[in-house]
């Protein structure tokens, strides 16, 4: 919960805007400011104070207890010009909150955390438990000193300026090791603990068994991702409480699912009790991985719990990102976040140049020229399979005549794939022209490099006969100068020469140009590959120089009747 505190009418107005925008995330604290801050500090994970920073410093100073315990605090000035991350920038999430508040209020975020100031991913912001010389290693990264990455397991990390050798080290491991000097240890959640238990098994027995199994195998409890068991034990108090104390989810599977898992130590006892010859090993292995600790029983007599431990391989992450039509303000916040998260960027060289300044230091860039789409798709998937966090970029929306299709054709279920939508050329051009896509519409590429012309022509005829607005991508190039006239001729068989046609070149870019013409007047020679051509349907009109397609034909009939 985010506590909101203000002292003046101006502050209360901005406070109320946040409260209205985030009704489920915020709570307004009224009354004397000192009392409100103290109460909110004790009750909330974060605070937004519409007060001077000096006043907030004096109010919260006596309340501070520790970096990992204190809430994140953001200060917003009375004029709503700045949102200052004052306390708990990383651990308390104040840096991210300051940016959110700024987006909502139109303010400028003020973030002074060292890593954020130079756009480095802070070791304590990666979502992984971290221990050791975090401050020293972070300072070395900031100072440009050589910091080595030693990865015992694969895990997708954001970009970090690391090397093979260095005086400082970041170690990525699930092993039970103590951090050496000048070393920060990151604990990825790679371990799955399968648990079986008799009815009424005490939570202490389950926890002791899990702890002993991990310790004797040299594994860190901080890398446990989940406890897993059969669904018949989903309400078993000892298992449920053990998961709660470990701070991990409890995942359950049906007896049928577990019975289908090949395990080294099946038993008749669980088969008779819950319908599967294995609970602990099968539950740990159901998602695949390496069995590090075979089934073992608790030390109690009689033993009421069993467990097994599996290391699941770190899954790479492929984000297929649409960059939009070119203008920076049409690049979505989600796309920006994925670009900053990726440690490997794959893309067409000219698209990489568009967003190079948004990449974090240490991002590995794999760029290539036109015509290498399938190669880029393969490269991106291969990098993700190595456990990397990869961004594959394309213009417009990556799923529309872009990189999503070839990438997903290469990808299997051994990596995570995230699609990030972008503003397509058709949408960008439509917004410039007016409202040409107000009714049913279709996009058709006239490039026959990958699609036979016979197929393209059949689709154009179908759109013409169905009276659908058509946006032509890739309409004309030096080597393909007859396809657009042919397509326009097909449409002309079903539409009058007065049908509005919009022509937009380089939509949203500095050299953008657009014009509204008609089907009978359009000269195909004025169109190139940087252009999209939108042809209206029989209801589309030129209204005050704008291309407008009514949402329904009844509107057209009513308009014509009025005339």
């Amino acid at each position: 919960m985010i506590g909101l505190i203000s002292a003046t009418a101006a502050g209360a107005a901005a406070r109320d805007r946040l409260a209205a925008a985030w009704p489920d995330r915020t709570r307004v604290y009224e009354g004397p400011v000192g009392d409100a801050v103290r109460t909110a500090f004790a009750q909330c994970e974060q605070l937004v104070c519409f007060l001077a920073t000096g006043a907030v410093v004096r109010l919260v100073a006596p309340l501070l207890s520790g970096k990992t315990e204190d809430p994140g605090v953001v200060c917003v000035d009375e004029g709503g010009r700045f949102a200052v991350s004052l306390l708990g920038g990383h651990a308390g999430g104040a840096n991210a909150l300051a940016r959110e508040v700024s987006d909502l209020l139109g303010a400028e975020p003020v973030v002074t955390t060292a890593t954020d100031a130079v756009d480095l991913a802070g070791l304590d912001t990666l979502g992984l438990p971290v221990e050791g010389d975090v401050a020293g290693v972070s300072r070395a990264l900031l100072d440009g000193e050589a910091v080595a990455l030693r990865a015992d397991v694969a895990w997708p990390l954001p970009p970090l300026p690391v090397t093979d050798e260095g005086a400082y080290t970041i170690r990525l491991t699930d092993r039970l090791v103590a951090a050496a000097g000048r070393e920060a240890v990151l604990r990825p959640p790679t371990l799955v603990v399968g648990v079986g238990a008799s009815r009424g098994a005490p939570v202490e027995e389950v926890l002791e068994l899990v702890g002993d199994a991990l310790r004797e195998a040299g594994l860190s409890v901080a890398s446990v991702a989940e406890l897993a068991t059969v669904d018949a034990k989903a309400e078993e108090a000892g298992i449920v409480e053990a998961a709660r104390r470990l701070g991990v989810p409890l995942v359950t599977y049906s007896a049928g699912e577990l019975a289908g898992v090949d395990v080294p130590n099946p038993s008749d006892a669980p088969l008779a009790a819950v319908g599967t010859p294995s609970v602990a090993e099968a539950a740990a292995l159901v998602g695949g991985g390496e069995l590090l600790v075979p089934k073992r029983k608790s030390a109690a007599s009689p033993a009421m719990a069993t467990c097994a431990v599996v290391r699941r391989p770190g899954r790479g992450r492929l984000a297929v990102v649409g960059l939009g039509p070119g203008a920076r303000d049409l690049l979505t916040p989600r796309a920006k976040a994925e670009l900053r998260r990726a440690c490997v960027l794959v893309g067409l060289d000219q698209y990489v140049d568009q967003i190079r300044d948004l990449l974090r230091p240490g991002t590995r860039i794999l760029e290539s020229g036109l015509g290498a789409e399938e190669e880029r798709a393969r490269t991106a998937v291969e990098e993700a399979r190595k456990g990397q966090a990869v961004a594959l970029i394309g213009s417009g929306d990556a799923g529309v005549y872009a990189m999503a299709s070839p990438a997903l054709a290469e990808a299997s279920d051994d990596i995570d794939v995230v699609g990030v939508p972008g503003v397509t050329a058709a949408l960008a051009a439509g917004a410039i022209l007016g409202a040409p896509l107000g009714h049913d519409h279709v996009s058709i590429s006239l490039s026959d490099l990958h699609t036979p012309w016979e197929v393209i022509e059949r689709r154009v005829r179908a759109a013409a006969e169905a009276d659908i607005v058509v946006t032509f991508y890739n309409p004309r190039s030096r080597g393909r100068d007859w396809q657009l006239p042919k397509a326009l001729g097909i449409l002309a068989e079903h539409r009058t020469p007065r049908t509005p046609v919009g022509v937009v070149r380089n939509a949203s870019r500095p050299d953008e140009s657009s014009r509204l013409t008609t089907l009978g007047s359009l000269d195909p020679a004025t169109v190139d590959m940087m252009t999209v051509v939108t042809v209206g349907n029989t209801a589309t009109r030129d209204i005050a120089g704008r291309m407008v397609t009514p949402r329904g034909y009844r509107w057209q009939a009513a308009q014509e009747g009025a005339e």
Side-chain angles (χ1 to χ4, degrees):
M1 185 62 64
I2 303 172
L4 305 179
I5 300 107
S6 62
T8 66
R15 176 202 68 191
D16 292 343
R17 287 176 62 190
L18 286 189
W22 301 335
D24 298 327
R25 297 176 60 192
T26 57
R27 180 186 302 159
V28 173
Y29 286 80
E30 304 277 8
V33 170
D35 294 341
V37 169
R38 284 188 290 272
T39 304
F41 199 92
Q43 295 178 348
C44 298
E45 292 80 21
Q46 296 174 319
L47 278 69
V48 179
C49 300
F50 296 86
L51 305 164
T53 55
V56 178
V57 167
R58 286 190 292 272
L59 288 169
V60 303
L63 310 176
L64 302 181
S65 58
K67 181 177 181 179
T68 59
E69 294 84 17
D70 295 330
V73 179
V74 171
C75 291
V76 179
D77 65 287
E78 296 290 324
R81 296 170 300 168
F82 303 102
V84 182
S85 175
L86 184 68
L87 178 69
H90 287 166
N95 291 351
L97 180 60
R99 295 187 179 99
E100 283 190 275
V101 170
S102 295
D103 287 342
L104 188 61
L105 299 181
E108 181 73 20
V110 179
V111 176
T112 59
T113 312
T115 50
D116 293 85
V118 296
D119 208 21
L120 284 176
L123 298 180
D124 53 355
T125 67
L126 304 183
L128 304 178
V130 59
E131 57 197 59
D133 189 11
V134 178
V137 174
S138 298
R139 188 164 49 250
L141 290 170
L142 290 167
D143 292 342
E145 297 187 44
V147 177
L149 175 63
R150 180 181 172 188
D152 298 338
V153 293
W155 197 260
L157 293 175
L160 294 167
V162 293
T163 61
D164 293 332
E165 300 291 337
Y168 292 84
T169 303
I170 298 171
R171 184 170 181 183
L172 184 68
T173 184
D174 57 15
R175 307 295 303 178
L176 186 61
V177 295
R182 295 187 171 187
E183 181 178 68
V185 177
L186 294 170
R187 304 288 190 188
T190 56
L191 304 178
V192 178
V193 180
V195 179
S198 302
R199 184 176 300 172
V203 61
E204 291 78 11
E205 183 174 341
V206 175
L207 287 172
E208 182 179 6
L209 170 63
V210 171
D212 289 346
L214 293 169
R215 184 172 53 256
E216 293 173 20
L219 300 170
S220 172
V221 69
S223 283
V224 174
E226 62 189 44
L227 293 192
T229 190
V230 66
D231 57 10
K233 298 294 179 180
E235 304 297 328
E236 186 63 48
I239 297 178
V240 172
E241 179 61 15
R244 190 192 70 80
R245 293 191 192 180
L246 290 170
V248 299
L250 176 62
V251 179
T252 64
Y253 301 95
S254 69
E257 288 178 282
L258 298 185
V261 179
D262 186 25
V263 298
N265 300 292
S267 172
D268 292 335
L271 180 61
V274 293
T276 173
S278 173
V279 173
E281 286 182 339
L285 283 166
V286 70
E290 177 187 4
L291 183 63
L292 302 180
V293 179
K295 182 182 71 175
R296 59 181 288 171
K297 296 181 179 180
S298 55
S301 183
M304 299 185 71
T306 60
C307 83
V309 182
V310 163
R311 175 187 288 138
R312 288 185 184 169
R315 290 173 63 87
R317 188 176 190 275
L318 173 61
V320 187
V321 181
L323 300 180
R328 180 58 59 86
D329 60 353
L330 292 181
L331 178 66
T332 68
R334 186 178 300 180
K336 292 179 184 178
E338 289 294 346
L339 294 175
R340 292 168 54 78
R341 176 174 181 168
C343 66
V344 179
L345 181 86
V346 182
L348 180 68
D349 46 15
Q350 58 185 283
Y351 297 153
V352 172
D353 289 340
Q354 290 180 21
I355 48 82
R356 196 183 297 271
D357 62 301
L358 297 178
L359 305 178
R360 277 183 158 154
T363 304
R364 185 157 56 96
I365 300 173
L366 304 176
E367 55 187 317
S368 54
L370 288 169
E373 288 81 8
E374 293 181 356
E375 176 189 342
R376 285 195 290 274
R378 284 193 295 270
T379 297
V381 171
E382 288 169 2
E383 290 293 329
R385 284 181 176 143
K386 296 175 185 177
Q388 304 280 10
V390 182
L392 174 63
I393 60 173
S395 67
D397 182 283
V400 179
Y401 305 123
M403 294 306 302
S405 180
L408 269 61
E410 292 284 338
S412 52
D413 62 358
D414 57 345
I415 62 173
D416 295 325
V417 177
V418 177
V420 182
V423 178
T424 69
L427 296 179
I432 293 166
L433 295 170
L437 309 182
H439 205 295
D440 296 335
H441 55 274
V442 63
S443 295
I444 299 177
S445 172
L446 294 183
S447 172
D448 54 1
L449 296 178
H450 299 289
T451 304
W453 174 254
E454 292 77 13
V455 174
I456 297 172
E457 181 174 335
R458 188 164 64 247
R459 292 170 179 172
V460 174
R461 288 192 181 280
E465 293 171 0
D467 198 27
I468 296 176
V469 175
V470 182
T471 297
F472 289 122
Y473 281 68
N474 306 314
R476 185 176 180 275
S477 67
R478 291 193 191 123
R480 295 186 303 100
D481 58 1
W482 60 267
Q483 288 89 343
L484 179 59
K486 177 68 173 178
L488 294 174
I490 294 171
L491 292 176
E493 296 173 9
H494 300 270
R495 302 177 195 183
T496 72
R498 294 179 300 166
T499 301
V501 175
V503 181
V504 179
R505 188 176 191 278
N506 286 331
S508 86
R509 299 183 183 183
D511 55 347
E512 168 191 298
S513 63
S514 66
R515 68 185 188 277
L516 186 58
T517 182
T518 64
L519 187 57
S521 301
L522 175 62
D523 179 5
T526 62
V527 173
D528 62 13
M529 285 289 287
M530 305 305 293
T531 306
V532 291
V533 177
T534 300
V535 182
N537 65 13
T538 58
T540 304
R541 294 290 182 268
D542 177 344
I543 301 176
R546 302 181 185 93
M547 188 175 177
V548 180
T549 301
R551 291 185 60 188
Y553 285 83
R554 291 190 181 91
W555 294 14
Q556 179 188 13
Q559 182 183 42
E560 291 174 348
E563 293 173 354

